[in-house]
């Protein structure tokens, strides 16, 4: 049986992303070169994803279609939830992805690139998203438990297994209901 994984914000070929700084003053990506970043992302992907597994890419694969070829080196049957930087034709993406969507409702949660607005979150148990890179959605002084960020920086550049997300979703539900 196939396993299911999630990831976002690969930014293949985006040379400046290794220079970006988060709100805490840390570099988003600890790589010396864009080539090193590509190698690490592909290696970590293949270290957990098998050839027959399913992978949801929650947007922002690359700004340049020539870098989509890296997807051929990555294991799994790939599905794309388009991000704000995924602006090429469907034809271009369908060479690499089994399907392309804007938002996916599955596994008791909603998948999107940009986080769903908080006013809409009563419809789902959780929003699995990208876009924020190393940042966390806050609810006052605490992380908002309705959101799960799978941006590369938030997941140590390694796709997250469905069981990790569903276990976290159950734990967060219990926290919200006062069981912890």
């Amino acid at each position: 049986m196939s396993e299911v994984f999630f990831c976002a914000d690969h930014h293949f070929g985006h040379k400046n992303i290794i220079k970006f700084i988060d709100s805490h003053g840390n570099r988003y990506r600890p790589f010396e070169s864009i080539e090193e970043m590509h190698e690490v992302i592909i290696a970590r992907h293949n270290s957990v994803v098998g050839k027959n597994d399913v992978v949801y890419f929650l947007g922002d694969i690359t700004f340049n279609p020539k870098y989509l070829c890296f997807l051929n080196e990555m294991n799994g049957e790939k599905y794309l939830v388009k991000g704000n930087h995924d602006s090429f034709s469907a034809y271009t993406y369908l060479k690499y992805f089994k399907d392309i969507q804007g938002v996916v409702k599955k596994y008791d949660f909603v998948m999107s690139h940009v986080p769903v607005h908080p006013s809409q979150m009563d419809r789902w148990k959780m929003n699995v998203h990208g876009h924020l890179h190393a940042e966390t959605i806050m609810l006052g002084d605490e992380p908002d438990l309705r959101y799960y960020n799978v941006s590369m920086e938030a997941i140590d550049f390694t796709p997250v297994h469905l069981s990790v997300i569903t276990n976290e979703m159950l734990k967060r539900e219990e926290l919200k209901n006062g069981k912890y």
Side-chain angles (χ1 to χ4, degrees), residues 35 45 58 113-114 120 123 136 153 167:
E35 294 80 14
H45 178 97
L58 304 187
H113 176 65
V114 175
Q120 300 300 306
R123 303 161 101 187
T136 301
E153 298 85 350
N167 287 339

Side-chain angles (χ1 to χ4, degrees), residues 11-122:
H11 286 259
F12 288 132
H14 184 185
K15 291 179 180 156
N16 285 332
I17 199 159
I18 64 174
K19 299 176 185 172
F20 289 176
I21 305 295
D22 68 17
S23 62
H24 305 290
N26 303 310
R27 285 178 49 203
Y28 273 175
R29 300 195 176 194
F31 306 111
E32 296 303 316
S33 69
I34 196 73
E35 294 80 14
E36 179 189 3
M37 181 187 85
H38 295 156
E39 289 174 20
V40 168
I41 288 173
I42 293 167
R44 289 191 185 174
H45 178 97
N46 290 336
S47 75
V48 296
V49 177
K51 294 212 180 284
N52 297 317
D53 292 339
V54 171
V55 186
Y56 287 93
F57 287 75
L58 304 187
D60 286 5
I61 305 302
T62 182
F63 298 135
N64 186 329
K66 79 177 188 178
Y67 292 104
L68 288 171
C69 66
F70 287 136
L71 293 164
N72 289 329
E73 299 177 38
M74 301 169 81
N75 292 336
E77 180 177 88
K78 300 165 190 74
Y79 293 82
L80 175 62
V81 175
K82 285 185 85 172
N84 55 300
H85 295 299
D86 298 316
S87 57
F88 316 122
S89 71
Y91 175 78
T92 302
Y93 291 109
L94 287 171
K95 294 175 189 174
Y96 306 95
F97 293 98
K98 184 166 174 103
D99 194 18
I100 306 166
Q101 296 187 32
V103 173
V104 174
K105 297 181 280 185
K106 198 169 185 171
Y107 309 113
D108 240 2
F109 52 79
V110 63
M111 294 174 249
S112 60
H113 176 65
V114 175
V116 172
H117 191 275
S119 68
Q120 300 300 306
M121 284 305 298
D122 60 337

